[in-house]
Amino acid sequence: MQDNQGVTLVDDMLWRGLIQDSTDPDELRKHLDGDAITFYVGFDPTAASLHVGNLMQVVTARRLQLAGHNPLLLVGGATGQIGDPGGRSTERQLNPQDVTAGWVLRIRDQLTPFMTFDGDNAATMVNNLDWTGELSVIDFLRDVGKHFPVNKMIARDVVKNRLETGISFTEFSYQLLQANDFYELHSRHDCSLQFGGSDQWGNITAGVDYVRRRGAGPVFAFTTPLVLKADGTKFGKSAGGATWLDPTMTSPYAFYQFWVNADDRDVPHYLRYFSFKTREEIEELEKATAERPQARLAQKELAFEITALVHGEEEANQAVMASQALFGRGSLSDLSADTLRAALSEAGMTQVRGELPTVVALLQEAGLVKSGGDARRTIAEGGAYLNNERITDPEAVIPESALLQGRFLVLRKGKRTFAGVERV
RNA sequence: GGCGGGUUGCCCGAGCGGCCAAUGGGAGCGGACUGUAAAUCCGUCGGGAAACCUUCGCAGGUUCGAAUCCUGCACCCGCCA
């Protein structure tokens, strides 16, 4: 598998830094750069939507499919009910089964646009509940459990880290389920490769070992690196919480802004991990950033590409347009009614009727502050703006003349949080 | 089963009868500097315009007055069995 410039899939992935750990690197290369194979990557339904932290896996699966391999996208209806003990110090709160089942459907829908489901190497959705749900306790303990030495299970980092603080048998068993998934997918779909985030390495190798113990295989695996941020904070969090892929949970505008605001030092990594641009294009962007960082060219290109991938090109264009209108140099009063409406809708629009309220009330209604005190504080700190002019009097009633195009107000908190108001 | 320790604001963590809406740190938020970046510095961080109201696991009680004392309940963590 290689493109017309002779760069193989593995070469490209190595350059991008997508391979953190792998079983036998030479074998992995032969496998991935050879004939089409079937691979799987799993997503557990632990929330109603995937977030940018999951994007690495989604995009990598797409990369492999574009290179000609056959994807199995597993949404863990079974494992999602058990809970991966990894990456946390306390027991998970189990969600009701019907909630998890609902999330499975949503996440399946969410994954769909990233992959192709027809053609020679069509992707397939699978759910481990299909083979785990009916497994009896006796069968599970005899057929699966017998292959897992507890001493090895305990030695795995994720379990070891929890031994002090506590881990239930439920979560302790998680690795058996994931290992069994690999075996089942190997038997049912001839799946020979699993990948996942580096936090999944233990679970993944448990699967590789298990397949071998059952006399099948060989199967291969690799993990993608944890996305790190230069400032040491967690990737994916931005003002107020996670950045979700679901447009009702994180608007396309906010999603676009998430990427635009990426730290200069992180952008080169993000481009490699998430973008489908070529190596030459990426290196070009890096050069541009080094020369004129304030132009944020790389951030903008990255933000557009990822937003278009996740939300479609139309939404991405809207986000760009809104960003230009709101952050642009020009005066807001120069914007047309249509542009204002569209831009503010992207940022979040609130409607008010009749008399315009005080700025404190308006800031609250627009959702920029969480209480009246918060609004007053923000104004006192000089962080509240109406139509890009700093608000100084919290009790001021907004005059009719402030309405842009006779009906819009642009509220801003701090440097970059906008909200629109439309008087109807 | 026994003994001891713990449960405080988003998180960590002081407080141990009034001066406590509760020290300190982190996160968050705002300002300055910039580039919608980083670093740094400053400010802010329950609700209320205020009076004042609601918070310190839950429910009662003692007291003029409790996060602080007592009783019961729940959960967590050690040590012993």
Side-chain angles (χ1 to χ4, degrees), chain A residues 358-396:
Chain A
T358 61
V359 287
V360 168
L362 209 53
L363 285 167
Q364 265 189 98
E365 279 179 42
L368 286 181
V369 295
K370 48 181 192 293
S371 67
D374 191 7
R376 280 162 211 284
R377 187 183 309 125
T378 303
I379 292 167
E381 290 171 332
Y385 303 81
L386 172 66
N387 295 342
N388 281 347
E389 300 215 8
R390 182 170 280 174
I391 297 168
T392 52
D393 178 9
E395 304 306 333

Side-chain angles (χ1 to χ4, degrees), chain A residues 113-387:
Chain A
F114 291 94
M115 311 300 287
T116 303
F117 289 85
D118 46 42
D120 288 342
N121 58 332
T124 306
M125 285 282 179
V126 293
N127 185 345
N128 51 18
L129 195 57
D130 292 345
W131 53 86
T132 310
E134 290 150 16
L135 201 55
S136 77
V137 181
I138 299 293
D139 287 344
F140 176 70
L141 293 177
R142 286 180 66 96
D143 299 341
V144 184
K146 202 67 177 171
H147 299 280
F148 287 82
V150 168
N151 52 330
K152 282 196 123 183
M153 290 173 68
I154 290 176
R156 292 194 196 284
D157 282 344
V158 289
V159 175
K160 202 162 55 185
N161 294 340
R162 287 281 299 278
L163 248 29
E164 286 294 313
T165 55
I167 181 169
S168 66
F169 183 73
T170 307
E171 291 194 9
F172 180 59
S173 313
Y174 185 90
Q175 53 180 299
L176 303 219
L177 294 186
Q178 186 167 336
N180 189 232
D181 287 345
F182 201 176
Y183 175 74
E184 289 291 337
L185 291 173
H186 180 63
S187 318
R188 290 161 187 248
H189 296 278
D190 197 28
C191 173
S192 59
L193 173 76
Q194 177 183 186
F195 76 89
S198 56
D199 60 326
Q200 293 296 306
W201 184 236
N203 292 329
I204 292 172
T205 52
V208 172
D209 288 345
Y210 176 62
V211 171
R212 191 185 56 243
R213 283 168 191 269
R214 297 279 311 241
V219 292
F220 306 90
F222 71 91
T223 59
T224 56
L226 182 68
V227 182
L228 293 170
K229 280 176 63 178
D231 64 9
T233 59
K234 210 170 174 191
F235 170 74
K237 300 278 190 227
S238 72
T243 302
W244 303 100
L245 302 198
D246 186 308
T248 64
M249 294 168 73
T250 297
S251 72
Y253 167 79
F255 186 85
Y256 175 84
Q257 283 289 322
F258 167 80
W259 296 100
V260 166
N261 279 301
D263 191 314
D264 293 354
R265 296 167 294 176
D266 292 323
V267 177
H269 298 118
Y270 294 174
L271 283 166
R272 286 168 169 73
Y273 294 159
F274 300 110
S275 168
F276 286 87
K277 295 181 191 306
T278 63
R279 177 173 181 167
E280 288 69 31
E281 290 169 320
I282 290 172
E283 286 172 345
E284 191 60 37
L285 280 171
E286 283 169 13
K287 214 175 97 199
T289 296
E291 285 164 3
R292 292 183 59 238
Q294 65 277 21
R296 294 167 172 273
L297 192 61
Q299 278 94 333
K300 287 175 183 169
E301 287 279 329
L302 174 71
F304 180 81
E305 182 182 348
I306 308 298
T307 306
L309 182 65
V310 173
H311 296 298
E313 200 153 323
E314 186 54 38
E315 290 288 355
N317 282 323
Q318 289 291 312
V320 172
M321 184 281 303
S323 298
Q324 283 174 349
L326 297 174
F327 289 99
R329 290 279 162 77
S331 166
L332 289 170
S333 50
D334 292 342
L335 297 173
S336 72
D338 284 347
T339 304
L340 266 174
R341 182 191 304 281
L344 293 175
S345 298
E346 290 290 312
M349 182 97 87
T350 310
Q351 299 196 322
V352 297
R353 294 172 189 287
E355 294 286 295
L356 291 171
T358 61
V359 287
V360 168
L362 209 53
L363 285 167
Q364 265 189 98
E365 279 179 42
L368 286 181
V369 295
K370 48 181 192 293
S371 67
D374 191 7
R376 280 162 211 284
R377 187 183 309 125
T378 303
I379 292 167
E381 290 171 332
Y385 303 81
L386 172 66
N387 295 342

